[in-house]
């Protein structure tokens, strides 16, 4: 089988053609870098995405502080992960990289802060 | 009156990069004036990732990208004044600003970098029929509500305009539990990056309706719905294609306007297409010693390019301040042709000792075409392009030796051809 997809690894958005048989990838063409090749392969076998959101912060400069998944998570887990993120409240100060949730939903990926908040 | 070598107006990615570069080049007294409470500019609310791939070789969120520069600024003796509104920049480089700590400030600068960024086109510019019900806002305003202030502006959303901010907000609202009913785009193509259409719309099954616009809003106190319609080749609504969509929120992502009030007030010449200043290869405006960079000069799609452009402006300002730009200069024009809408810089010094990069955008989607750069009938370069789109800024390099072979009557043209 053949699938044509736009790569989302970077803003270039290469048009990639993947030939595959079931979950076995036979060829990847049209990509301009290694990341494109990797994207196309996982997109066929196990599509993953990174998620970015916010969590509530007590005593912060702002009511919320941004966060992200420390790595990609399975596409199917997106809304479960969002539910967990929305349960979290942290206290200021917060610094970039601080872990809010360890191993969210058993994905092996953490939810980490993506901004500093020195507090009021 | 305060005295500074360099005054940078705006503390977003452009202003910070320009100030840091000028510092690195040896300028001693620098101040950044920022309207908001913190440095970082619009990056602070852009919590999605995709920033820094070119510049840092890694994928960062907006706040993370900004934080790296904020940290660098903190490590220098660059002064920063936040909550400070610049009111005017005069011909002789007196910058007037106001804040609650200093009151009215007058600063005599040797050079000025304008880095005010851009703002969103508002509803008023669109002439959509209907009342002024609440729930109608720009996508960037909604982004601030959700990502900075921490509340949801609505539950059922229609987005007009498929620029990147609109696409990003479609995903953001969906993740937070809202229902994004449709994204309408007036043009027959999206102005956003392909990756955003895939991961913000396709992933969540949000329909993108091209050649479609919102023609009326309904509801008195709160928005209750919108009427959308398809448009013809002249972008006019086609009678009979109207469709009512129930929603409580309409987000507009219909273009960005460089914020050039200060520039205009100073009498600096603007480019009709970019709505930014006309500049030379160091990003110096037609007022000597006043530079412009970032989204106030031309709206960028990648912050990485804002950083690179601003470093050029910072270096240009440093050379001007330190008296290192006394070499002979001969400026020629760059000219966009067939399919190319504009070029920045608009002027290039042919005595430049360094290669010069021209940045530009095309006016429509092209496939399998060539980008040809020509000077006085001689082809400088001709590069095959699988795809060209208005949403993606392109660039070409003019080598210094090619520039040296030109004369004062030369013109450099860039065009799309078969």
């Amino acid at each position: 089988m053949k699938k044509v997809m736009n790569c989302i690894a970077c803003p270039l958005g290469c048009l990639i053609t993947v030939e595959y048989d079931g979950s076995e990838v036979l060829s990847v063409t049209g990509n301009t870098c290694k990341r494109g090749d990797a994207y196309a392969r996982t997109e066929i076998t196990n599509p993953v995405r990174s998620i970015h959101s916010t969590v509530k912060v007590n005593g912060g400069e702002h009511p919320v502080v941004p966060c992200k998944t420390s790595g990609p998570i399975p596409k199917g887990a997106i809304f479960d992960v969002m539910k967990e993120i929305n349960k979290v409240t942290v206290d200021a100060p917060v610094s970039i990289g601080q872990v809010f949730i360890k191993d969210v939903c058993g994905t092996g990926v953490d939810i980490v802060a993506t901004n500093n908040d020195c507090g009021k | 009156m305060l005295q500074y070598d360099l005054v940078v107006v705006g503390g977003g990615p452009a202003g910070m990069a320009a100030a840091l570069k000028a510092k690195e080049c040896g300028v001693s007294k620098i101040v950044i004036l920022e309207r908001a409470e913190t440095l970082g500019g619009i990056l602070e609310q852009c919590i999605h990732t995709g920033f820094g791939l070119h510049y840092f070789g890694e994928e960062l969120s907006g706040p993370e990208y900004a934080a790296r520069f904020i940290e660098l600024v903190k490590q220098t003796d660059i002064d920063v004044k936040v909550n400070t509104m610049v009111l005017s920049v005069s011909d002789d480089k007196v910058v007037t600003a106001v804040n609650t700590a200093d009151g009215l400030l007058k600063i005599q600068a040797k050079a000025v970098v304008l880095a005010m960024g851009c703002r969103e086109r508002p509803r008023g510019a669109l002439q959509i029929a209907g009342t002024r019900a609440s729930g109608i806002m720009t996508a960037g305003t909604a982004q601030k509500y959700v990502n900075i202030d921490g509340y949801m502006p609505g539950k059922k959303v229609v987005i007009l305009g498929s620029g990147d901010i609109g696409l990003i907000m479609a995903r953001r609202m969906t993740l937070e539990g809202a229902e994004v009913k449709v994204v309408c785009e007036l043009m027959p193509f999206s102005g956003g990056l392909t990756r955003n259409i895939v991961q913000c719309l396709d992933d969540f099954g949000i329909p993108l309706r091209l050649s479609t616009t919102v023609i009326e809003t309904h509801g008195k106190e709160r928005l209750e719905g919108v009427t959308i319609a398809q448009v013809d080749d002249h972008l006019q609504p086609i009678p009979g294609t109207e469709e009512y969509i129930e929603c409580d929120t309409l987000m507009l992502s219909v273009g960005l306007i460089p914020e050039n009030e200060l520039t205009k007030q100073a009498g600096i010449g603007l480019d009709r297409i970019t709505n930014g200043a006309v500049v030379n290869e160091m990003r110096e405006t037609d007022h000597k010693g006043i530079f412009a960079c970032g989204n106030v000069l031309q709206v960028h799609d990648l912050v990485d390019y804002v950083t690179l452009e601003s470093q050029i402006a910072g270096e240009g300002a440093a050379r001007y301040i330190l008296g290192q730009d006394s070499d002979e200069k001969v400026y020629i024009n760059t000219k966009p042709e067939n399919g190319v809408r504009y070029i920045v810089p608009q002027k290039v010094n042919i005595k430049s000792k360094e290669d010069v990069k021209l940045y530009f955008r095309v006016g429509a989607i092209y496939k399998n075409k060539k980008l040809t750069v020509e000077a006085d009938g001689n082809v400088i370069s001709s590069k095959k392009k699988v795809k060209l789109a208005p949403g993606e800024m392109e660039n070409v390099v003019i080598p210094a030796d090619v520039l040296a072979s030109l004369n004062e009557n030369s013109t450099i043209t860039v065009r799309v051809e078969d």
Side-chain angles (χ1 to χ4, degrees):
Chain A
M1 280 192 285
K2 209 182 217 184
K3 194 172 175 186
V4 178
M5 59 178 82
N6 276 106
C7 181
I8 62 166
C10 89
L12 269 182
C14 295
L15 201 59
I16 303 184
T17 306
V18 189
E19 279 190 274
Y20 62 102
D21 186 7
S23 65
E24 193 194 347
V25 176
L26 304 171
S27 74
V28 178
T29 49
N31 55 307
T32 42
C33 76
K34 280 189 290 191
R35 291 168 43 125
D37 186 87
Y39 169 76
R41 286 172 196 278
T42 53
E43 197 64 9
I44 294 293
T45 52
N46 173 34
V48 293
R49 296 287 185 269
S50 289
I51 291 299
H52 332 97
S53 188
T54 52
V55 301
K56 280 180 235 160
V57 52
N58 285 326
E61 292 169 74
H62 300 292
V64 292
V65 65
C67 62
K68 68 176 177 187
T69 49
S70 60
I73 55 164
K75 220 169 134 181
I78 290 177
F79 284 98
D80 291 335
V81 168
M82 277 304 295
K83 264 187 213 148
E84 293 305 312
I85 293 174
N86 283 340
K87 287 181 192 163
V88 175
T89 302
V90 296
D91 295 322
V94 171
S95 53
I96 288 180
Q98 185 177 329
V99 177
F100 293 150
I101 310 174
K102 197 119 187 89
D103 185 19
V104 65
C105 300
T107 53
V109 164
D110 301 337
I111 300 299
V112 298
T114 55
N115 205 358
N116 301 313
D117 191 320
C118 313
K120 270 180 203 157
Chain B
M1 192 167 352
L2 292 169
Q3 309 280 332
Y4 274 93
D5 292 328
L6 176 62
V7 173
V8 177
V9 185
M16 289 193 287
L20 285 165
K21 188 69 184 179
K23 179 56 56 188
E24 187 190 314
C25 293
V27 175
S28 52
K29 276 199 86 185
I30 303 176
V31 63
I32 300 175
L33 305 177
E34 166 57 46
R35 181 170 64 183
E37 303 155 309
T38 56
L39 291 175
I42 206 67
L43 287 174
E44 293 295 304
Q45 68 182 57
C46 300
I47 65 165
H48 53 282
T49 55
F51 304 90
L53 274 166
H54 291 265
Y55 191 74
F56 290 114
E58 55 186 306
E59 192 162 3
L60 303 170
S61 69
E64 288 173 304
Y65 189 97
R68 295 201 176 185
F69 287 90
I70 294 172
E71 199 44 50
L72 290 174
V73 170
K74 276 187 189 158
Q75 286 166 14
T76 66
D77 59 355
I78 295 171
D79 288 334
V80 176
K81 285 183 185 292
V82 293
N83 291 315
T84 302
M85 180 76 187
V86 174
L87 304 175
S88 72
V89 177
S90 77
D91 232 7
D92 49 357
K93 302 182 198 71
V94 174
V95 178
T96 307
V98 64
N99 67 28
T100 50
D102 304 287
L104 192 68
L105 277 164
K106 276 195 182 291
I107 308 173
Q108 174 68 62
K110 288 180 186 159
V112 177
V113 171
L114 303 172
M116 293 86 80
C118 61
R119 61 167 169 256
E120 296 175 280
R121 260 180 94 201
R123 179 197 176 170
L126 300 184
Q127 299 178 318
I128 300 172
T131 56
R132 293 184 168 268
S134 69
I136 305 172
M137 66 199 78
T138 63
T141 299
Q143 190 178 43
K144 181 171 184 291
Y145 290 156
V146 181
N147 294 346
I148 304 267
D149 301 331
Y151 64 86
M152 286 286 282
K155 294 192 178 97
K156 290 179 192 167
V157 185
V158 169
I159 298 176
L160 174 59
S162 62
D164 288 313
I165 313 171
L167 299 176
I168 297 280
M169 280 313 290
R171 173 176 61 183
R172 187 75 187 108
M173 293 299 284
T174 307
L175 288 178
E176 290 292 358
E179 182 194 358
V180 178
K181 297 203 151 183
V182 63
V183 176
C184 299
E185 170 59 57
L186 177 71
M187 303 304 287
F189 52 85
S190 166
L193 296 170
T194 315
R195 70 186 316 228
N196 285 335
I197 293 174
V198 174
Q199 60 185 353
C200 298
L201 301 188
D202 298 352
D203 272 5
F204 302 101
I206 300 167
L208 171 61
R209 301 265 292 260
L210 299 173
S211 298
T212 302
T213 192
V214 172
I215 56 169
E216 193 176 354
T217 64
H218 307 273
K220 194 161 171 251
E221 299 298 326
R222 177 80 198 193
L223 186 69
E224 289 164 9
V226 296
T227 302
I228 66 170
Q230 290 168 34
V231 297
D232 61 21
D233 293 346
H234 305 287
L235 308 181
Q236 295 304 307
I238 303 170
T241 64
E242 298 89 351
E243 197 180 319
Y244 179 82
I245 297 182
E246 189 203 341
C247 62
D248 59 19
T249 307
L250 172 65
M251 290 183 190
L252 306 171
S253 175
V254 291
L256 299 167
I257 307 164
E259 224 167 326
N260 268 306
E261 281 66 28
L262 291 173
T263 323
K264 279 185 218 164
Q265 210 181 15
I268 290 166
L270 298 186
D271 181 315
R272 279 192 318 119
I273 306 292
T274 59
N275 286 315
V278 171
V279 292
N280 65 28
E281 79 284 356
M282 295 314 291
R283 307 300 187 266
E284 187 180 30
T285 67
D286 59 12
H287 282 36
K288 278 189 86 62
I290 301 183
F291 297 76
C293 56
N295 283 348
V296 78
L297 180 61
Q298 56 173 334
V299 176
H300 294 67
D301 22 60
L302 300 179
V303 69
D304 306 64
Y305 288 154
V306 167
T307 300
L308 294 175
E309 177 172 87
S310 306
Q311 289 173 336
I312 297 173
E315 189 172 349
R319 283 188 200 168
Y320 177 85
I321 293 163
L322 303 170
Q324 294 165 347
D325 66 343
S326 50
D327 294 344
E328 190 199 357
K329 292 196 185 90
V330 178
Y331 289 108
I332 62 164
N333 292 323
T334 57
K335 196 175 153 215
E337 281 185 346
N338 188 36
V340 176
R341 282 190 71 220
Y342 72 81
I343 300 172
V344 171
Q346 291 85 351
K347 289 176 185 302
V348 174
N349 175 20
I350 58 174
K351 303 286 182 191
S352 168
K353 292 184 185 76
E354 292 125 30
D355 298 350
V356 171
K357 230 180 208 179
L358 304 182
Y359 290 87
F360 55 92
R361 283 181 196 277
V362 294
I365 288 186
Y366 295 100
K367 289 200 167 136
N368 297 314
K369 297 275 182 181
K370 277 192 296 191
L371 268 179
T372 301
V373 187
E374 202 177 274
D376 306 337
N378 301 316
V379 174
I380 298 171
S381 69
S382 190
K383 211 161 68 180
K384 270 197 193 143
K385 283 283 182 184
V386 179
K387 189 186 159 203
L388 291 162
E392 288 166 32
M393 190 187 280
E394 299 284 338
N395 65 69
V396 292
V397 177
I398 313 292
D401 59 325
V402 171
L403 288 173
S405 72
L406 305 177
N407 65 61
E408 63 199 48
N409 299 315
S410 302
T411 306
I412 298 173
T413 61
V414 182
R415 63 169 181 271
V416 180
E417 61 181 22
D418 287 321

